[in-house]
Amino acid sequence: MRIALDVSILHAPRTGIGEYALQLGRALQKVPELELSLFDGLRWRDDFPEAPRAGYGTLSQIVKAILPNAYQIRRQLMQRRFDRGTKHVQPEVYHQPSLWPLRFDGPTVMTLHDLTHVHYPETQPRDRLRAIERHLPIALQQASRILVDSQFIADEITHHYGVPHNKLQVAPLGFAPRFQPRSEEQLRMRLATYQLQMHSYYLCLGTLEPRKNLDLVIAAYLTLPDRIRQRMPLLIVGGRGWRQEQLKRIPHSAQAQGQVRLLGYEDENCVAELLAGAHALLFPSRYEGFGLPVLEAMASGTPVIASECAAIPEVAGQAALYVDPDDVDGCRSQMLALLDDDTLQATLREEGRQRARQFSWERCAQITVDTYRTAGHF
């Protein structure tokens, strides 16, 4: 099968959808029956963009300031390049791994990761939100098949858009090889860089925006005894998203003493090593279509304290400690319970690794290939 895969998302700083496009694409390249052609929005290629385009975010903001309809113009230019390329590539199936596809005469598979635009429309730039609201319902109608990361999202799409379940296919995500248990010696240089001790810090991962619910973690952490905060700093790793009020509530003294540390966006290897060395991943998100950091933490042998919301329990099962996303005292209690119980720590590390073994990019790729077959009637 000749497959066209859009990888234009890889020009942006890597987040969950970018990781999906990259890791799924690499797994698909190993499937003998597939001939994979990659479209990066500018040109067709055989390899993946390995790093975000330099200055991508700044350039995007400048272009949007100059051209109010920049998003629509960009899509039109991509469509022209895509059309020219398909005449030569002649794909039998086209797969768009992020939101709605470009126009294509043949069978189209799209992946819809979540309905953030429905629940949190404020997180989308205004022109992009208008485009989503205009184009996504049509794309869901016209797509041959729709891939989703979880049954939770499949049910949401059916409920909100009326898409029949037999058009949807759940393909759970996987984790990259860099997410694995590490010894203290393996992490020595990384931990020394941040003046950290093995298993002696909490970690939050994800784009900094309200639905990630950092307020809960910050409030719970600040109620811990000072002696604990002195030896167990809270690291917050992620690019800045929409609204930053929760970060303004961090006392200056907590940051000055190194108790709460805002590291910003870090590269993938740094994130993997910090995750493997953490005492626990704190993931209190209110809404996730999957919750990739939860799986990556479990694969790394790191305990997870997460909110029991959306698709998160579908990923973590019984291998995590859960909290109500509005219960500060409950979050604090779980943090203390894990801190004081070596047996619980060991149990969560082992159960997390076992749970993670149920997920892989190879499995995701095989389900995706089966979906291509169904879409193309092969």
Side-chain angles (χ1 to χ4, degrees), residues 173-222:
L173 310 187
F175 57 92
R178 66 181 180 274
F179 296 103
Q180 58 179 291
R182 315 269 186 127
S183 68
E184 186 169 2
E185 178 58 28
Q186 289 174 312
L187 297 176
R188 179 176 56 82
M189 291 184 64
R190 183 71 67 185
L191 296 178
T193 299
Y194 294 98
Q195 296 181 309
L196 298 169
Q197 300 296 318
M198 186 77 168
H199 298 160
S200 294
Y201 58 93
Y202 297 104
L203 182 65
C204 288
L205 286 178
T207 302
L208 308 183
E209 59 183 52
R211 74 180 174 97
K212 298 298 184 180
N213 201 25
L214 290 179
D215 274 346
L216 181 80
V217 166
I218 293 169
Y221 177 79
L222 292 175

Side-chain angles (χ1 to χ4, degrees), residues 19 77 117 125 134 158 163 169 186 242 252 263 289-290 306 328 352:
E19 181 73 0
L77 293 173
H117 62 280
R134 176 183 175 186
T158 295
V163 177
Q169 177 60 59
Q186 289 174 312
W242 166 72
H252 176 73
L263 301 191
F290 187 82
V328 173

